[in-house]
Amino acid sequence: MLALMVAGCQVDQKKEIATYRQEIEKNLPPLAQLPAANEPLSLESALRIANTNNERLNISGEDYLQAIIAKRRAIAGFLPTVSFIPSYFMQDKSGAVAGSGGPTNARTHTFDAPVNGEINLFNGFRDVANLRGAEATIEQQRLNLLDAREALLLDVAQSYFNILRAERSVVVLTNSLKVQDERVRYIVGRQQAGVARQLDVAQTQALQSQTRVTLINAENDVRNNRAALAFLLGFKELPNPLVDTVAMPNEAPPLAAVKQLALEHRQDLLASEHAIEAARQNVQVAFGQYYPSIALDVNAFLKRESSPTDSQWNALLSMNLPIFSAGIIEANVRDAWSRLRQTKYAESLLRRQVLENVETAYNDTIASVHRLTELQVQITAAAEAYRQADQQYNVGLATNLERLTAQDQLLSAQLQYASESYDRKLFFLTLLRQTGTLSDAAAPESRLLSTTQPTTGPAEAITTPAPVAPATYPTTAP
């Protein structure tokens, strides 16, 4: 018996963790080999690393595991319990009652070793409702786990594209600053020659300083977003250069089809439907308290010294019928109904919220495509305006302010396009998350996020600058 008890106390921790890890790693298995410090890190690889290392998913996974354990506890309500209950009784030696003439009781101790078995024969259908509610809760927690994964993947994608956006801005600003440095030296030379005014020099230097401040902010954004992405990936630091390999679909599906996709695949919405079923079963549990309960208790004695010593077993069949419970059962039923209604309201609110979020993400994606088209036109026009303003200034037909204004408009258009090119993809990934299909798109067999298509700007190819990080590869979290 001791050996059985010790064996029952052992828990296979690896098997417990594997229960929810196999759900987490569906479509996104761990990388066979992490990229070296000098190798580019694609978004797909970043998503798979975060899916493996981030503790947020393990926390949600434990909720899923606890729901499975709760079901096992509910199953136990249908099964008997067997216990070994030895007892040793001692008492002071007592004599006969005065005047009775009876014998003196010389027995001062007894030892009994019964094996007790208990089983609920009928419990007002509460055991059945508990089991059904536990099954609904398991599916609810499994879907919540998958929804937590979708949220994590979107966070990784946002940090990833924030880095790319900041690095692209650094390149644009660096190139612009080189031109402005030359412009300052040129205008200072003209001022010393008596051709340009001191006002022209001050205006040119002010624009140069403004660009340098913007560059400092962009470089700081690179460092901060790299730190954020390293945190999400479970790394101490992120020295890898990032590469944009996300492909965009040629055509957008109708909004109605996207909303229907969300209703069918959004994990938290599906989880709320199972939460309603679990709450409904809790109503049955509460209402089952009105029914009688029947239990059977059996004792088999391995050794018995108590009276009657010649009886080796006994059994007790009992029934409990509540007649007056001071309103406790009614309060429990009312509370269960209230929680059911509350869960339904939450599901209805979430459904409307999901549809609203899908429409917003869809509109943002479509609008971003149109903005990119207009920004391409704006860059072309701003470049031509700057060229003409520069030429006219050189021949005395335009002021320095007009030339600086044209130059500032060109830089602004370039920065807007650099930002919008990544915003478009981030809006698209947000739309995938709102429909609950981001993990499917990030799967290794999916070609949606991985492509070899170039992702350069409209005027020139912009290379990614060297990463602002030490040249050592991070160690993964345990």
Side-chain angles (χ1 to χ4, degrees):
M1 293 177 63
L2 182 60
L4 291 175
M5 292 172 59
V6 172
C9 293
Q10 294 180 351
V11 178
D12 189 346
Q13 300 286 347
K14 293 183 178 179
K15 184 178 179 180
E16 296 279 273
I17 295 175
T19 301
Y20 56 82
R21 286 305 311 181
Q22 64 183 0
E23 294 291 336
I24 295 174
E25 294 173 2
K26 283 183 178 179
N27 298 337
L28 288 175
L31 286 175
Q33 183 177 1
L34 295 176
N38 58 345
E39 293 181 358
L41 179 66
S42 66
L43 178 59
E44 176 194 335
S45 298
L47 296 178
R48 293 170 68 183
I49 292 173
N51 192 66
T52 302
N53 291 347
N54 197 283
E55 300 88 348
R56 191 194 308 178
L57 299 185
N58 290 338
I59 294 174
S60 296
E62 293 294 340
D63 291 334
Y64 172 56
L65 178 62
Q66 291 164 16
I68 295 177
I69 297 172
K71 178 185 176 181
R72 183 63 186 86
R73 190 179 296 113
I75 293 176
F78 294 92
L79 304 177
T81 60
V82 180
S83 307
F84 178 54
I85 314 176
S87 62
Y88 183 74
F89 174 74
M90 293 184 298
Q91 68 176 1
D92 187 21
K93 187 175 182 180
S94 61
V97 179
S100 65
T104 301
N105 183 5
R107 193 165 189 84
T108 59
H109 59 85
T110 59
F111 175 71
D112 293 340
V115 175
N116 175 263
E118 296 180 2
I119 185 172
N120 286 322
L121 301 180
F122 180 71
N123 198 23
F125 304 108
R126 282 178 284 175
D127 293 335
V128 176
N130 273 326
L131 179 58
R132 291 174 178 172
E135 291 174 344
T137 302
I138 288 176
E139 188 62 17
Q140 175 193 358
Q141 293 299 338
R142 187 185 72 85
L143 292 168
N144 283 336
L145 172 60
L146 298 180
D147 183 71
R149 183 176 70 167
E150 293 281 311
L152 173 63
L153 297 183
L154 181 60
D155 289 343
V156 172
Q158 289 175 340
S159 295
Y160 191 95
F161 281 108
N162 285 339
I163 294 173
L164 290 176
R165 179 191 296 109
E167 290 180 342
R168 178 70 67 86
S169 298
V170 167
V171 172
V172 173
L173 291 167
T174 301
N175 293 337
S176 177
L177 192 58
K178 290 179 180 179
V179 175
Q180 294 184 39
D181 290 341
E182 293 296 328
R183 182 65 62 191
V184 168
R185 285 193 291 269
Y186 173 74
I187 200 68
V188 168
R190 288 174 59 89
Q191 189 268 337
Q192 292 175 351
V195 179
R197 300 170 300 172
Q198 182 61 34
L199 175 62
D200 296 339
V201 175
Q203 290 173 339
T204 307
Q205 290 176 338
L207 180 60
Q208 177 196 38
S209 180
Q210 176 185 341
T211 304
R212 186 172 288 113
V213 170
T214 308
L215 176 60
I216 293 173
N217 292 335
E219 291 174 340
N220 188 57
D221 288 341
V222 172
R223 289 188 290 267
N224 289 340
N225 285 295
R226 279 188 169 273
L229 183 58
F231 169 78
L232 292 173
L233 300 185
F235 289 169
K236 294 181 179 179
E237 53 193 20
L238 186 67
N240 302 78
L242 305 185
V243 54
D244 181 12
T245 59
V246 176
M248 294 291 293
N250 295 327
E251 296 181 359
L255 177 58
V258 177
K259 287 185 175 181
Q260 184 61 34
L261 184 67
L263 295 177
E264 295 175 356
H265 292 87
R266 181 68 181 258
Q267 290 85 356
D268 54 346
L269 182 58
L270 299 177
S272 66
E273 296 175 358
H274 291 280
I276 292 177
E277 178 60 24
R280 183 179 292 110
Q281 295 301 325
N282 287 335
V283 173
Q284 298 298 326
V285 171
F287 194 78
Q289 297 175 86
Y290 285 114
Y291 293 98
S293 59
I294 303 174
L296 177 63
D297 192 323
V298 179
N299 291 307
F301 291 86
L302 303 179
K303 180 176 177 59
R304 184 170 190 178
E305 294 181 352
S306 61
S307 180
T309 58
D310 57 344
S311 176
Q312 299 303 313
W313 67 273
N314 58 48
L316 175 65
L317 181 65
S318 61
M319 183 183 73
N320 181 9
L321 178 61
I323 298 177
F324 177 71
S325 60
I328 295 178
I329 297 179
E330 180 186 3
N332 291 339
V333 172
R334 291 176 60 195
D335 181 74
W337 275 114
S338 176
R339 293 180 185 276
L340 175 58
R341 293 193 301 270
Q342 188 180 45
T343 306
K344 289 182 177 180
Y345 295 145
E347 189 273 341
S348 177
L349 177 62
L350 179 60
R351 181 180 296 271
R352 295 193 302 108
Q353 185 68 56
V354 165
L355 294 177
E356 191 270 337
N357 290 341
V358 167
E359 185 169 357
T360 300
Y362 185 89
N363 293 336
D364 288 341
T365 304
I366 299 301
S368 181
V369 174
H370 297 320
R371 283 196 297 268
L372 278 174
T373 303
E374 293 303 321
L375 285 171
Q376 290 178 353
V377 176
Q378 184 177 344
I379 286 179
T380 302
E384 176 62 21
Y386 173 68
R387 186 186 65 81
Q388 293 185 12
D390 184 62
Q391 291 179 351
Q392 292 178 7
Y393 174 80
N394 292 333
V395 297
L397 297 178
T399 64
N400 184 59
L401 180 59
E402 291 174 335
R403 183 180 62 173
L404 293 180
T405 300
Q407 184 178 1
D408 184 63
Q409 290 176 349
L410 175 59
L411 176 60
S412 176
Q414 290 173 338
L415 291 176
Q416 288 183 55
Y417 184 88
S419 178
E420 193 65 43
S421 62
Y422 294 115
D423 284 342
R424 176 197 177 194
K425 296 184 178 182
L426 189 53
F427 288 144
F428 173 64
L429 296 180
T430 302
L431 180 60
L432 293 180
R433 186 272 179 270
Q434 297 299 341
T435 57
T437 57
L438 179 56
S439 58
D440 296 333
E445 62 274 9
S446 174
R447 296 297 92 194
L448 190 56
L449 299 187
S450 297
T451 178
T452 56
Q453 297 176 359
T455 54
T456 58
E460 60 178 356
I462 302 179
T463 57
T464 302
V468 185
T472 55
Y473 194 72
T475 57
T476 59

